[in-house]
Amino acid sequence: MSHYYIGLMSGTSADGVDAVCVRFAEDMPSITLAAHRYEPYPESLRQRLLALMVPGANEIDRMGALEGELAEIFAAASTAARRAAGLARTDVAAIGSHGQTVRHRPSGPHAFTLQIGDPARIAERTGILTVSDFRRRDIAAGGQGAPLVPAFHQWLFGHATKTRAIVNIGGIANITVIPGTDAKSPVRGFDTGPGNALLDAWARQHTGEAQDTNGVLAARGCMDPELLALLKDDPYFAAPPPKSTGREHFTLQWLAARLQHLGRDLEVACVQATLVCLTAETISEALTPLHPEEVFLCGGGTANPVLVAAITERLAVPVHTTAHLGLDPQLVEPAAFAWLARETLSGRPGNLPSVTGARRPVILGALYPA
Ligand SMILES: Nc1ncnc2c1ncn2[C@@H]1O[C@H](COP(=O)(O)OP(=O)(O)O)[C@@H](O)[C@H]1O
Ligand SMILES: [Mg+2]
């Protein structure tokens, strides 16, 4: 069978889709990047996706329209990555498509999670077997359905003796702590809370830009300790793992309620600076009790130097990006879904019960033949 896989990741930031075409070594944890394509979403599409992430009217029709629109972009990005790698369709074993999460409610009697971006259309347009819907089976097995990237982090980044942590800073941030593989203790991992989601939302509201590029706005402001305490008071942060969250929890309304509670005006830049501290402190406070000896950052948040500095100064151990381990920080998540597709086709489980809380390891995903 071909050893090439395509991984598609569209995270909670809804900024665009990353498509990677990769090859995995059969006998050791090693990945070779053949091509990468990033397809940013038009602003109107991003707006409609973000709108669908919070409860509203006529959601099924709005979702149905977005299913197709996203799938066409996913398929085009896959084909572009395949061509850039100089490959024929038959060279690619499968596409692993995470999809776009529009709702994530992993707890309670009606737990569910929903990722859209019609996989039938991806298979139809690309002519390549598509694996999608990775999270549902873990939820069916009693897990959170998230995070799913830790198994890949362990496979690729695990070290024989050192405890390593991988921190993915997407819209939501998640951590994976991998004990030295010789120690045989379980991998830990969970969503720590907002990564860039609130930074993007606040910047958008006050500057009209989709993000606070390079943290320029945050750097102009002063962190407000009282607001930070109000933000950190949310019960999610103190809750024990397994836990996962989504954009529907950490919204601008969530922030507005706490600003109102503060009862005084703060400069826009100071709110932004405080949001940077919220992301940095909730990550560092999640990591510290798990005693990582080295920390590696990935995800779009690594492009925000103010955020990276805030995280680094709160940790007493070396902090790098995953580039230090040979994988571009922007490519870790899409590569993880290419790898998860391989695990599915190989009949191997992709979830880690020590992370998601599932009753057992399960084979993830649904298959849409070529
Ligand atoms: N130059 C930059 N300055 C600040 N933030 C950035 C920059 N580049 C990317 N980002 C942040 O990264 C996010 C995208 O990260 P990504 O890992 O794709 O997240 P997700 O997985 O949620 O889609 C953007 O929404 C933005 O917040
Ligand atoms: Mg993204």
Coordinates of all heavy atoms in Angstrom, one line a residue, residues 90 97 183 193 226 300-301:
T90 N -3.4 7.6 -6.8 CA -3.1 6.2 -6.4 C -1.9 6.1 -5.4 O -1.7 5.1 -4.8 CB -3.0 5.2 -7.5 OG1 -2.0 5.8 -8.5 CG2 -4.3 5.0 -8.3
S97 N -9.4 13.8 7.4 CA -10.0 15.1 7.5 C -10.6 15.3 8.8 O -11.6 14.7 9.2 CB -11.0 15.3 6.4 OG -11.6 16.6 6.5
A183 N 9.6 4.9 31.1 CA 8.9 4.9 32.4 C 7.6 4.2 32.3 O 7.0 3.7 33.3 CB 8.7 6.3 32.9
G193 N -8.0 25.5 27.9 CA -9.0 26.6 27.8 C -8.7 27.4 26.5 O -8.2 26.9 25.5
E226 N -7.0 42.2 38.4 CA -8.3 42.0 38.9 C -9.2 41.3 37.8 O -9.9 40.4 38.1 CB -9.0 43.3 39.3 CG -10.0 43.2 40.3 CD -10.7 44.6 40.6 OE1 -10.0 45.6 40.5 OE2 -11.9 44.6 41.0
G300 N -0.9 28.0 15.6 CA -0.8 29.4 15.2 C -0.3 30.4 16.3 O 0.3 31.4 16.0
G301 N -0.6 30.1 17.5 CA -0.2 31.0 18.6 C 1.3 31.1 18.7 O 1.8 32.1 19.3

